Amino acid sequence: MRESEARIDWEYEGKPDFSSGTGATRAERTLALLSACVVPAVVLWLAANRDYGWNGVQLAVALALAFDVGGGLVSNALNSCKRFYHTPPKPSEGKLGAVLKRPARFASAHVHPILVALLFEGDRWATYGLLWYALLMLSVGVVLRTPLYLRRPVSFLAVMVATLINLSFVAPIPGFEWLAPLLFLKIVYGHLVREEPYRPT
């Protein structure tokens, strides 16, 4: 789509869609669905080719988290999602919409690092799980207090720092090397940064 074939439109209507954003086009929904399959496919490959010793419940949890993080990362970057989550809740969206459209509350529900630590390396529930959750919420707080015109670069700074910590300072739990950087991309950039919702003409 050329720039001349796009417009900015903050208005939407229809049945509430909390995953791709109400009014998402077929292309946007397809892109979100395809992206949600990428990380689970990698996790399946890793589980089949490396000796993690996961049981069935652990594999199911790993796949569910991979689906959520991988799909949510791309979904949150959709223009339909940007429009949906950066406009006030509508009556038709109910209490769930009122909660999810509060970015700090939305972010706080992502306890993925704590869950992973408890289920896969219980002795690291604090040094991995709580640590990453605290870093995520700290980054959320910083970005939300940043002026709008600086919010995107500050969010990428937070993602960069998280990636470096993941690579060099806090050893990932085997099989979840992807979790911290992708979770930060999903929440700190994808969900928190308000951007113009370009729509096809």
Side-chain angles (χ1 to χ4, degrees):
M1 181 172 63
R2 297 187 298 272
E3 290 182 9
S4 61
E5 296 175 338
R7 60 189 170 84
I8 297 173
D9 186 3
W10 287 99
E11 298 300 321
Y12 66 88
E13 58 182 18
K15 183 180 179 181
D17 183 346
F18 296 101
S19 58
S20 298
T22 302
T25 64
R26 179 181 296 178
E28 287 172 318
R29 290 193 302 271
T30 301
L31 187 59
L33 182 59
L34 290 175
S35 71
C37 298
V38 173
V39 184
V42 172
V43 169
L44 274 176
W45 185 89
L46 290 172
N49 289 276
R50 299 184 183 179
D51 186 19
Y52 294 139
W54 292 350
N55 58 37
V57 172
Q58 289 174 314
L59 179 59
V61 170
L63 291 174
L65 293 178
F67 183 87
D68 176 71
V69 173
L73 187 157
V74 174
S75 291
N76 284 351
L78 295 174
N79 285 284
S80 53
C81 251
K82 292 290 185 180
R83 177 177 65 178
F84 181 79
Y85 281 106
H86 291 277
T87 53
K90 296 187 175 186
S92 62
E93 293 159 1
K95 292 182 179 179
L96 182 60
V99 171
L100 292 182
K101 285 193 171 187
R102 294 187 176 215
R105 288 189 181 182
F106 182 94
S108 67
H110 289 73
V111 295
H112 302 36
I114 298 175
L115 183 60
V116 167
L118 288 173
L119 288 179
F120 294 86
E121 283 193 18
D123 59 338
R124 298 185 62 194
W125 69 271
T127 58
Y128 179 90
L130 283 181
L131 175 62
W132 274 117
Y133 185 73
L135 289 173
L136 176 66
M137 296 310 298
L138 175 64
S139 300
V140 167
V142 169
V143 171
L144 290 178
R145 286 166 176 76
T146 299
L148 181 60
Y149 82 104
L150 291 174
R151 193 167 288 187
R152 181 168 51 215
V154 169
S155 73
F156 275 108
L157 174 60
V159 171
M160 180 181 70
V161 170
T163 303
L164 291 173
I165 292 172
N166 187 64
L167 289 172
S168 305
F169 299 102
V170 179
I173 290 176
F176 292 92
E177 293 82 0
W178 49 271
L179 179 60
L182 296 191
L183 184 60
F184 271 69
L185 275 172
K186 174 188 175 180
I187 300 299
V188 181
Y189 163 66
H191 189 71
L192 300 185
V193 178
R194 180 181 183 270
E195 295 174 304
E196 294 84 359
Y198 292 103
R199 312 307 297 152
T201 57

